[in-house]
Amino acid sequence: MRLLKTRTLPLLDFVDLLRPEGTKYAILSHTWGTEEVTLEDLHKTESKQLQGHKKIERYCAQADHDGYDYLWIDTCCIDKKSSAELSEAINSMYNWYYWADVCYVYLSDFSLDTDRSFNGCRWFTRGWTLQELLASKTIRCYDQHWRYVGDKGDLAAPFSAVTGIEKVYIKHRGGVHTASVAARMSWASRRQTSRPEDEAYCLMGLFNVNMSLLYGEGSVKAFQRLQHKIIKTSEDESLFAWSAYDSLPLIGLFAPHPSFFRECGDIEPVEDPRIQRMPYSITNRGLSIEATYHAIPCQTIPIKGSGSRIFHRSCNDRGISECLLLPLKCARKTLPTELLTDSPHALRKLITIILMGVPGHEDNVFARCLPTEMMVYEKYFQPKRKLCHRNIFIQLPVVRADLSEAVLDSRYYNGNPPY
């Protein structure tokens, strides 16, 4: 980790640390502008006229005033020409903010003179700033003129209002990793990054996983790899509890993009004694999972809107007469507490997804269908219907380059995914 020395201006000297967790330092969280100063540019005379250099100088002065000898800023403390150093930095970023003594948040488009809320601030819309908000022990916010706005404790309520993150996770960083996978994904669902792959890479720390950086793979492949990493260390099935905005073709259990979790902020894991799972894994045939399910006739699935006719015709064309209802071990917090116990009716409130057999494969190979129809199980719950249990394979989606790029299409953010 390369740290700036706060008292060496105008030379701006560095110190390299192998174990920064034992060092007292400040760290900056901000959004990039058009005149940022990189490590390569830092000592160039012409760079001193740039707004990015002025930001670094003001940041050093604030840190020095607060008694910090060292500080870190992402613009000039990483050699981005070195792929190895960039990979190490991105994989370590969450910890670097976690270990920092204080995080200064610079809101370049917010003024105490004119703004009454944070609704228009870019800082709350960027992917990388999510982990910076949640990992930091102490946050001190400053407006565009470097005037003090407040700390994380004082601003928890307005931060929660603009981000959709519960105040308890903003105030107490130790609880962040106890939130459900779906809830954490929902926090990132409306955020954007400059590079498409960073939509996945910026979430590694939030899920305590590490990944190699493969810029050029596209956002969909990167996000699929992130989810594969998550299931290797987590049994939280809310990872599968996403929903789409429009009809998609047969697809796997993994969402193509964080925005598919937009409505999942209130989902939490739930235990039900009838839902038994062996450890699941990714194989060359798909996701291998011990599934507890109900098989029901395709024609009995009520589907909203014009999708009903398309779905039923699709079943007929494929020669498929039955679908599987797969209840997940998760539910919405808003459901009555008494129905989330081990009572005979607990299963009725579990979030349920629909699986369809894949033509041309064995009878235990399925894909998810109707991702617009994420529902609670009570719609189909019948006590006399047999609850089945066996190992099945759920196909992984084939990620095409055109779909990877299409996820970033502006139409998608208007509610119409281009699939």
Side-chain angles (χ1 to χ4, degrees):
M1 183 183 192
R2 184 183 287 107
L3 293 175
L4 271 171
K5 294 180 180 179
T6 60
R7 298 178 183 176
T8 57
L9 287 174
L11 296 178
L12 294 174
D13 198 7
F14 290 94
V15 60
D16 287 327
L17 296 176
L18 294 178
R19 296 183 62 82
E21 65 269 31
T23 302
K24 185 178 179 181
Y25 64 94
I27 201 165
L28 179 67
S29 178
H30 68 125
T31 55
W32 282 48
T34 58
E35 296 185 351
E36 298 297 344
V37 176
T38 65
L39 178 64
E40 184 181 11
D41 299 331
L42 192 59
H43 295 293
K44 294 180 179 178
T45 303
E46 56 269 25
S47 71
K48 296 180 180 180
Q49 306 305 316
L50 299 178
Q51 289 299 318
H53 199 283
K54 293 180 173 61
K55 184 193 302 184
I56 295 172
E57 292 177 348
R58 188 62 185 85
Y59 173 36
C60 286
Q62 185 64 54
D64 183 38
H65 177 269
D66 293 341
Y68 295 101
D69 295 328
Y70 304 107
L71 55 83
W72 187 89
I73 179 172
D74 57 351
T75 54
C76 64
C77 290
I78 304 173
D79 183 1
K80 297 178 177 64
K81 293 193 299 182
S82 168
S83 58
E85 183 172 330
L86 180 61
S87 178
E88 179 186 0
I90 289 179
N91 275 275
S92 305
M93 197 81 68
Y94 189 94
N95 288 334
W96 289 354
Y97 277 88
Y98 192 90
W99 291 329
D101 201 60
V102 63
C103 174
Y104 298 120
V105 172
Y106 176 61
L107 304 175
S108 60
D109 53 359
F110 178 84
S111 172
L112 285 172
D113 296 328
T114 58
D115 295 305
R116 294 293 176 264
S117 75
F118 297 115
N119 289 338
C121 290
R122 282 185 70 231
W123 190 82
F124 295 96
T125 68
R126 307 306 296 169
W128 290 107
T129 57
L130 175 60
Q131 65 175 0
E132 296 162 11
L133 166 65
L134 296 172
S136 301
K137 174 176 64 175
T138 302
I139 281 181
R140 294 173 60 85
C141 286
Y142 294 85
D143 76 351
Q144 60 189 208
H145 304 295
W146 281 94
R147 292 176 298 187
Y148 181 63
V149 178
D151 62 26
K152 184 158 70 167
D154 299 333
L155 301 172
F159 279 9
S160 177
V162 74
T163 62
I165 304 172
E166 293 181 50
K167 287 188 290 185
V168 64
Y169 300 120
I170 294 175
K171 287 184 175 181
H172 307 289
R173 60 178 180 168
V176 167
H177 291 105
T178 66
S180 72
V181 170
R184 280 177 276 172
M185 288 291 189
S186 74
W187 302 341
S189 62
R190 289 177 169 83
R191 293 175 179 257
Q192 300 175 22
T193 58
S194 298
R195 303 186 73 168
E197 295 85 358
D198 283 341
E199 292 178 331
Y201 300 160
C202 72
L203 300 179
M204 288 191 287
L206 204 59
F207 295 100
N208 197 25
V209 299
N210 295 100
M211 293 168 54
S212 56
L213 307 186
L214 301 174
Y215 285 110
E217 67 176 324
S219 63
V220 177
K221 281 187 177 180
F223 193 57
Q224 297 286 315
R225 284 202 299 127
L226 174 69
Q227 294 171 88
H228 295 176
K229 288 283 188 179
I230 292 172
I231 68 167
K232 290 181 178 180
T233 60
S234 174
E235 296 181 350
D236 186 348
E237 294 185 8
S238 68
L239 176 64
F240 310 133
W242 51 273
S243 59
Y245 299 97
D246 203 348
S247 298
L248 302 179
L250 293 180
I251 195 169
L253 278 185
F254 299 110
H257 191 268
S259 54
F260 283 74
F261 289 90
R262 189 167 294 177
E263 307 300 328
C264 300
D266 64 339
I267 292 178
E268 62 182 356
V270 172
E271 289 298 326
D272 188 289
R274 288 167 293 183
I275 306 299
Q276 302 297 322
R277 296 274 198 263
M278 295 294 289
Y280 37 80
S281 61
I282 296 176
T283 73
N284 60 347
R285 298 181 65 190
L287 183 74
S288 175
I289 183 171
E290 289 281 342
T292 301
Y293 63 90
H294 272 320
I296 68 170
C298 298
Q299 301 300 324
T300 65
I301 299 179
I303 304 169
K304 293 174 273 186
S306 60
S308 175
R309 178 176 52 83
I310 297 173
F311 170 70
H312 293 144
R313 186 175 63 189
S314 175
C315 291
N316 291 332
D317 292 344
R318 291 184 171 98
I320 296 172
S321 60
E322 283 189 334
C323 288
L324 304 189
L325 298 181
L326 180 66
L328 304 174
K329 295 194 295 183
C330 57
R332 295 195 179 275
K333 293 180 181 180
T334 52
L335 297 176
T337 304
E338 62 271 15
L339 291 178
L340 300 180
T341 64
D342 291 340
S343 71
H345 300 291
L347 186 65
R348 298 178 62 182
K349 295 298 181 180
L350 297 180
I351 289 175
T352 300
I353 58 177
I354 305 171
L355 302 179
M356 176 187 289
V358 179
H361 290 75
E362 298 177 28
D363 64 357
N364 65 340
V365 179
F366 295 85
R368 184 176 177 185
C369 62
L370 295 174
T372 55
E373 305 291 326
M374 187 176 71
M375 60 202 73
V376 293
Y377 197 79
E378 65 179 344
K379 288 186 178 181
Y380 305 103
F381 184 79
Q382 295 181 12
K384 294 182 180 179
R385 181 174 288 149
K386 182 181 179 182
L387 196 62
C388 304
H389 184 86
R390 65 166 170 163
N391 183 75
I392 64 174
F393 293 92
I394 304 176
Q395 282 197 327
L396 303 179
V398 176
V399 180
R400 304 199 313 267
D402 58 329
L403 290 187
S404 179
E405 293 302 321
V407 167
L408 299 179
D409 192 291
S410 60
R411 292 173 297 166
Y412 181 82
Y413 295 103
N414 294 326
N416 298 308
Y419 286 94

